[in-house]
Amino acid sequence: MRLTFEDRAVRERNRPLRALAAGSVGNFIEWYEFGAYGYVATVVAERFFTPAGGSAAEGLVRTYASFGLAFFFRPLGAALFGRLADRLGRRPVLILVVALMTGATALIGVAPTYAQAGALAPWLLTFLRVVQGLSAGGEFGGAVAMLTEFAPPGRRGLYGAWQSFTVALGLLGGAGVAVGLSVVLTADQFGSWGWRLPFLLALPLGALALWLRLGLDETPEFREPAGGAVRVPVGAIALAAARVMGWSAAGYTFLVVLPSYLQTALHTGFRQALLATVVANLGFAAAILPAGLLSDRVGRRPVMLAGAGL
């Protein structure tokens, strides 16, 4: 069936909104899956990294070493998938990275523990974390590129802000699922099998993200690239990288590592620690879209400087 001129015009007007939905939902799911590991870290430590004779503190250190390993692979994923996105397009790469993240997260949910598989268990878990790190690196840059390239004129800051906004919502969703399970399940049930449910939830969520992204068009800038190469100063890249490193270190300390610290150092309950994280994530989420909108009005630089200073 041929589209009329009016139908094509409506579809063209709605394309940025469809891209915003596909990018935001997929990004939410990616970061829900990435954050789920941190929220159940104390349970993972007991099941995978504390063999007979090992202390709980030793297991937690190993758990967060595995968590941190994914961050070492995020830049590699960003470089690899960013290069592929420039060659093949944003759409196929974003489909690939959400499929990789969903598969790795679901496999964590069925992975054998140390009691079941011995020393193979922590190595398998670490490998799956590496896959998560690679796909998260590809998702972060790919989602920003897609959202900003589909953005209407004068709205790139607001559209790009949805990427970080859905990071906050994804982390908040992971914490919310963990809190909910801790309420409806006993401590023994959660420690025995309940901790697997946040990871297994990745399957239906990932299927939704894949469905949305399969129906997405390629970005206008990839289909019709502007002529001529654009040189970006090395200093600007280094400054941007340093800025992201700063907020990432602070952000993950408060939003992901904090629950384990509250339990092991301050001896709060599992539920109390996660509720504190929910509050932190709500504050994180509330600031993002207004900052993106403000950057469209006053410029990126003053907003970034104010955020770094605060």
Side-chain angles (χ1 to χ4, degrees), residues 81-102:
F81 291 115
R83 184 67 172 167
L84 287 175
D86 286 335
R87 289 176 175 269
L88 305 177
R90 320 302 187 213
R91 178 180 175 273
V93 169
L94 285 171
I95 290 170
L96 175 60
V97 295
V98 80
L100 284 173
M101 176 66 86
T102 297

Side-chain angles (χ1 to χ4, degrees), residues 150-235:
F150 269 115
R155 285 291 180 267
R156 282 198 163 193
L158 179 60
Y159 269 59
W162 275 88
Q163 196 275 350
S164 288
F165 183 59
T166 47
V167 169
L169 293 184
L171 295 175
L172 189 60
V177 168
V179 170
L181 289 172
S182 72
V183 171
V184 301
L185 300 178
T186 66
D188 289 340
Q189 288 173 329
F190 189 87
S192 176
W193 52 267
W195 66 269
R196 295 182 182 273
L197 297 181
F199 299 107
L200 294 176
L201 188 58
L203 285 174
L205 292 175
L208 173 62
L210 282 171
W211 175 72
L212 286 169
R213 288 186 173 181
L214 284 169
L216 189 65
D217 295 327
E218 190 52 81
T219 67
E221 290 193 21
F222 182 81
R223 286 184 284 115
E224 300 176 7
V230 178
R231 284 187 170 274
V232 180
V234 175

Side-chain angles (χ1 to χ4, degrees), residues 188-282:
D188 289 340
Q189 288 173 329
F190 189 87
S192 176
W193 52 267
W195 66 269
R196 295 182 182 273
L197 297 181
F199 299 107
L200 294 176
L201 188 58
L203 285 174
L205 292 175
L208 173 62
L210 282 171
W211 175 72
L212 286 169
R213 288 186 173 181
L214 284 169
L216 189 65
D217 295 327
E218 190 52 81
T219 67
E221 290 193 21
F222 182 81
R223 286 184 284 115
E224 300 176 7
V230 178
R231 284 187 170 274
V232 180
V234 175
I237 296 175
L239 181 62
R243 183 244 171 207
V244 172
M245 286 169 62
W247 83 255
S248 293
Y252 279 100
T253 297
F254 279 100
L255 304 178
V256 178
V257 181
L258 183 64
S260 295
Y261 172 77
L262 291 174
Q263 293 171 75
T264 57
L266 302 183
H267 308 293
T268 63
F270 180 74
R271 195 182 309 168
Q272 292 170 308
L274 286 177
L275 284 173
T277 306
V278 168
V279 174
N281 270 289
L282 286 172

Side-chain angles (χ1 to χ4, degrees), residues 34 37 62-74 129:
F34 194 78
Y37 183 92
R62 290 175 179 171
T63 301
Y64 274 114
S66 177
F67 184 80
L69 185 66
F71 284 86
F72 284 101
F73 281 87
R74 274 182 59 183
R129 286 295 299 163

Side-chain angles (χ1 to χ4, degrees), residues 24-45:
S24 298
V25 172
N27 198 55
F28 164 83
I29 293 166
E30 283 261 2
W31 292 96
Y32 160 81
E33 295 170 357
F34 194 78
Y37 183 92
Y39 296 130
V40 297
T42 53
V43 180
V44 170

Side-chain angles (χ1 to χ4, degrees), residues 154-158 292 294-305:
R155 285 291 180 267
R156 282 198 163 193
L158 179 60
L294 186 63
S295 77
D296 285 328
R297 298 192 174 186
V298 303
R300 321 297 182 211
R301 185 172 181 272
V303 174
M304 290 175 65
L305 287 173

